[in-house]
Amino acid sequence: MARPALSPTERSTPRRHRERAAADRAALDAILDEGLVCHLGFGTDAGPVVIPTGYGRDGDILYLHGSTGSASMTAAAGGAPVCVTVTLLDGIVYARSAFHHSANYRSAVIHGQARPITDDTEKSHGLRVLTEHLAPGQWDYTRPPNRRELAATTLIALDLTEAAVKTRNGGPVDDPDDVAAHQGWAGVLPLHRVWGQPQPADDLPAVVAVPERIRYRSVPT
Amino acid sequence: MARPALSPTERSTPRRHRERAAADRAALDAILDEGLVCHLGFGTDAGPVVIPTGYGRDGDILYLHGSTGSASMTAAAGGAPVCVTVTLLDGIVYARSAFHHSANYRSAVIHGQARPITDDTEKSHGLRVLTEHLAPGQWDYTRPPNRRELAATTLIALDLTEAAVKTRNGGPVDDPDDVAAHQGWAGVLPLHRVWGQPQPADDLPAVVAVPERIRYRSVPT
């Protein structure tokens, strides 16, 4: 399926390190699919607010949700501009000078207006996307939301039309004089995410085994 | 040393899950000290922008930095309200219903006005704090910034006076009917960060060993 090209604007075009800006839809999707939490930014009368929240991607739509009692979701669903950022930290860059220390990372910064999803069918679909992103395989494994739960959930959708992808990878970029003079180590210390041992709920009968899809859940890196 | 108490305001007081809000200065410091990247939110004429960036804490001051050519840093340093959020994702909560799926996490949401640091001595101090947070032990191990590098760096400081800490931990909180009816697994899949094998720079002589503080860098949790 053809995907709409991203349309970086003045707002979303990185002004520095343009070589790091890969305005590439596949890169955006890969970051969103690998991340688990996004940071949602929205404006208030008192200034900007940034909160961490779950999300899920379905093609060109990003879904976010929260409680109907959440001031953040209410503010974000109002149609004002929002910014959603997903960052994957891949390592720390140890250089020969303090100045050239850096981090290897991939980030996606998405701009748009969020629209509230109120139709129960679409809301249920969006929550499936969100749940499957957070915990793959769980939507069909567990009880779906009832009407009361749907009513208690605010779901918002954001079109993936304006976004900026930035990445840094590779080793330190040191000044030649520092490379010649420095006697110590320089390089990259990679950072990975790994799943730990599944911890059964306190009220789970001991006879229930951990499904393989959970025990061996993959962590892309 | 006595620390100023946090002063949650209407803006920074979570309206939901107040039991998760531990307005506790030690908890704030622990999150900031364990995190590696923050998400900085600031307003623009076109709406909010959220970018990932490094930071460092010195007592009651949070330092952030960027290039003087960075539009984000210029905007954030202008004295308008900013929001800095650090999130540690600790695991995914697998429940018996889609609705009760959740994430275990710790987050700190800090509000304030950032002030630019222009004095070279204070700027150098702030960059030391930042560098030591990103890569402990490196400030004294590598060449300090020269005047050109200091001039090319925007450093901003944010007082830790208004912040909200939220945490979720523990297993799923399921409806009793679901606990009785569901035959499958429920619990928590913990998520950890681990350092990989240090990767030497391409231009590093093979004879240079990796310092132990890097090879055995600790990852809290």
Side-chain angles (χ1 to χ4, degrees), chain B residues 26-85:
Chain B
L28 174 66
D29 289 353
I31 292 167
L32 295 178
D33 294 353
E34 184 171 334
L36 288 164
V37 165
C38 69
H39 282 82
L40 165 67
F42 54 91
T44 74
D45 291 344
V49 174
V50 178
I51 58 161
T53 189
Y55 67 90
R57 182 181 74 86
D58 179 25
D60 304 320
I61 298 176
L62 198 69
Y63 290 107
L64 294 85
H65 78 323
S67 162
T68 50
S70 155
S72 299
M73 275 299 137
T74 304
V82 300
C83 181
V84 174
T85 299

